[in-house]
Every structure is written in C-alpha cells, then in structure tokens.
Amino acid sequence: MAESSKRPHSAPSLDPRLTHAHQLVRKADKLTTLSFFNWWPDWTQATPLYEQAATAYKLAKMLEEAKTCYEKAATGQERLSSPWTAGKHMESAGALAKELGRIDETVVLYRRASELFLECGKAQPSADVLGRGARAVEDESPEVAIRMYLDACAMLEEDGREQMAFDTYRAVVNLYIKLNRFKDAAALLVRWGQAADKCHATQSQCKAYLSAIIVHLYDEDLKQAQQCYNDCSQMDVFYKSDQGETAEKLLSAYGEESSDEIKHVVDSSYIIPHLDHMIVRLAKQLPKGELKTIFPVEPSDDKLNEDDLT
Amino acid sequence: MSTIDLLKRVNGIIEKYEKYDASTPKERPANASQDYFMKLYRTIEDDLNDVLKKVEEVEHERNRAVIATLNAEVRRSKAALRLELLKLHKLAQKKVKGVIAEEILTRPSMALALAARIEEVPDGVNAIRKKNPANGQPLEIRIDNYSPDDIMRSGAGREHSVESKGFSDEYELRKIKQDEGLEAIQQGLTTLKDMAHDIGEELSRQEQLVDEADTKTDQASANMNTTNSRLKESVTAMRSSRNFCIDITLLVIILGIAAYLYKALKK
C-alpha cells in the first residue's frame, strides 16, 4: 500500500491498523465535507468511523490525529442530537490536548464538554468534567484552574448537590495555599462551611471553620482570625464542637502571646491532625513570624484621659 | 431542525447584530488613556459598591452560615481594596495632562475619603459569644463513692512505715500509668469519633446517589417489561401465521400422497 511505503519506521504490526484508521478518516471526511456532489453531510455514517479511527490512533500513540478525530466525532454526535456522547468525546479530546501540552486548547475543550453535558440537563457530570479539566491545567495555569473549579462548585450548588462539591472545594483550597493566597483560601473555607451547613454535614462544617481560622493565623492576621471565630461561633454547631473548642484554645494562646502555649495547643490537640493535610502542615508551623508583629501596639488611652478636661 | 441547531442560529444572529444593541452604554471620556488615577478611583468605587451590596444582604439574611460567608467575603474584599488604595495614593500625586492643577490638589483628599469609606464598612459580628459556665464543666464520671484521697486521709495521724511508704509510692506510680493509659484511650476515641462522623457524612452523600441509581434502575426495568411484552405479542402473531402456513402445506402434501396411493391402489 501507498501508506505503508511512506512510513518505514512504524512497527509492522501497527501498520495495517493505522492504514485502516487513515482509510476510515478519509471516508468519513468525504461523507461530511460539502462539495458539488455532496449537498448534505452524512453524520450518521461518519460519526462511528471517526470514533473507530480515534481509538486506533490513540492506541498507536498518534495523539494529534486522535484528538482531531475525537473532536470531529463529538461534532457528529452533537448533530445527531446526542450531547452526552459528544461530551464524552470532547473530554477525551481535552485529555489528549493536555498530553500534547496545549493548555489553552485543553481549557476550551473541557469547557465545551461541560456545556454539552449541561445541554443534557446533567449538572453532576458537567461539574465533574470541569473539575477534571481544572486538575489537568492547574500546574500550568492555576488562575484558569481556579475559575473552572469555582464554576464547578457553583453549578453543583445551583443543582442542590452541595455534598458533591466538597472535593472541589478541597482542591481549590489546596491550590490557593500553594499559591500563598491565604485570604482567598480562608474566605473559600468559610464558603465551604456554608455549603456543609446547607446539607447538614456538621463535621465538614466545623473542620472548614477551624481550617479558616488556622489559615488566618498562618497569615499572621490575628484580627481576621478573631473576627472569623466570632462569626463562626454564632453557629451552635461549631461553638459546641471539638473544633470550636480547639479554635478557642488556640486564640486564647495567641491572646497570651506565648509561642510555647501555641505550640502546645497544636501538638497536644487530637482534632488538628484530622484536618486536611495541607492545613495540618500550616498548623505545625504556627506561630509563624514574630509574635510582636502580629500584635500591633495599641496607643494607650491613659494620656487622652489626662488631657481630657471635660 | 433540532434544538442545538436553533441555539446555534440564534447565537449567530445575536453576534451579527450586536453592534445595533442600544442597551450597552459606551463611555468615551476625553483623555481616558492618560488618566490612570480616575480609572483606578472608579474601579475602587465600583468594588466598594459591590461590598456595600453584600453588607446589605447580610442585614437581610437570617441563616448564620450565610452571614459568616458573606462577612468573610466582605473582609477579603476590604483587604484587597486596601492594597489598591496604596496604588491610588501614589497616583494621586502625579500630574496628568488635561487636568487642571486645583483638581490634582484635591486628589489626595479624594483618596483619603475613599479610604475612610472602606474602613467604615462593617465586616462581621463583633459580639464575642461568652461560654456558658454551666456547659463548661466536663462530665464527671465516678466509678465508686470513695476517692483515693479519702482513703489516704483516713490513715492520717499514723506514721509512715517503710512498707506503707513503698505502697504510697507504688500508688502514685500506678496512678500516673493509669492517666497515661486513659490519655491513649482518649486519643483513640477521638480518632474513632472523627472517623465515625466522616463515615456518617459519606454515607449520607452516597444515599442520594444510591436513591438516584435506584429510580433509574426501576425505570429501566419497567421499560424492559414493556418491551418484552410487546416482543412476545409480535412473536406469537408471527408464529401463529407461520404455523397456519405450515399446517396448510403439510395438509396439501398429505392429500397429495393420499391421492397418489389411492391411484396406485386403484390400478
């Protein structure tokens, strides 16, 4: 065959499959491209051909061709009014784009897959695919990944499935901590607590609030930590829980300005080791920075009183 | 035309005629590209208005978890705005083309006013919840009515002999060992409690999924039953007509054989 003579380096066992794949793609292209003789694209016949070719290319590790075939198969399935299969193909195309190292294309493909799942009316797989896409790109473009994760969380919350969003929240918090964006991490932890409150997952809620307070303390912001604790302790669930007690002990240790006391609270606590491992790592490093910088010197009120003659 | 094609056509038409859309206001202030101060000022003001909207939501909200989240968001936005303000203060000093000198002099005070507005924004419940002293007492578990100290005290007035000293030392040692053991038990129990809570949460999470899978399987089996009965009907219909044809063919053959035999016997 003409194709095998052009590829002297391929393994002989793969060659017939590859040539078959090439044939399938050519046939499918002929069916779908409009020309003088072809007025309507025949996606019903072309789509299975594209799918077969894509699997063959993927086995042969020819990622570029496999990705193109998956994209065309997805378009075909869309035209055949089956957005579910189209979404699945788009996701495979996205995974291949990630392996090829094209991050922008990966993001686009995964978002398109998520939209297709939404067309089916299925929010869970749509959010799942966004989460997987975000994980794929989080090393190279963390901002985009954060956006995708937050969109997935919002989608699940709209659908009333907050419990499924916990894993996504965890991933975003870990990403924020990696990027040293502690304020954002703490705000998101409180939001996670709210989602947990909605579905009565008290354990996760209390853990989330305690983690938020620890993150504020790691960020050397005692005032924020105190305010966060005040806000969260308005909820009975947290106030009476072990996590609430640990938070109170920690804040009172900070109030005494003794780093030994703080370390003792962290080390002897049985609650802190059960938090997420990134948070535990932060907690073990408390108190961070000089305690003097955390406690700003308040201007003493005595002088004012002396001068105040009223 | 399927829904997807409809959607695509609608999007295409919207894109084509977007420029005629009168609802989007277009601002073209003079010297917009040079005046970074006013741009930043406007951005900060917009962000501040968003924060104030959130504060309003807090006032109307009853759910405490939502209040906590909104307050956390407000605090985070305030922190971000404070950073932006530093830039604004620096820009306030710069001279800009096309802006009169007096206006440039007012800019630092504008920046300070904005800073004051940001600080004024309320961000959180300031009431510290006092722990109810009655709840603060841990539960005391008593195994029997005598406390070891009572027993020790009852022997007061007697002197320690060597043996009794040894006993009291052993008592102290054992007491310390028991405390250590109890601490280990406490740690184990806390871990177990944590794991049990997590298992409970995971189960309630899975419950929802299992219920959905259940409904879907019920639907699928109902579909199967309908399909099966329809298939049965069509197969019986086919078979009966086939049986009928077979019967007739066989009858014809038998009659043919009978006629042949009759002819053969008649001869």
Side-chain angles (χ1 to χ4, degrees), chain A residues 123 127 130 147-162 165 168-169 191:
Chain A
L130 269 181
R147 263 265 68 78
M148 286 170 85
Y149 275 129
L150 290 175
D151 287 341
C153 289
M155 213 180 291
L156 285 168
E157 281 179 359
E158 255 175 75
D159 209 38
R161 293 158 168 264
E162 285 86 2
T168 328
Y169 275 123
R191 192 174 143 186

Side-chain angles (χ1 to χ4, degrees), chain B residues 195-206:
Chain B
M195 277 169 45
H197 270 297
D198 285 339
I199 291 172
E201 268 185 23
E202 192 60 39
L203 279 174
S204 60
R205 203 170 104 161
Q206 307 260 344

Side-chain angles (χ1 to χ4, degrees), chain B residues 206-218:
Chain B
Q206 307 260 344
E207 189 194 337
Q208 200 186 17
L209 295 171
V210 166
D211 283 340
E212 275 177 30
D214 201 22
T215 345
K216 285 192 184 157
T217 4
D218 284 339

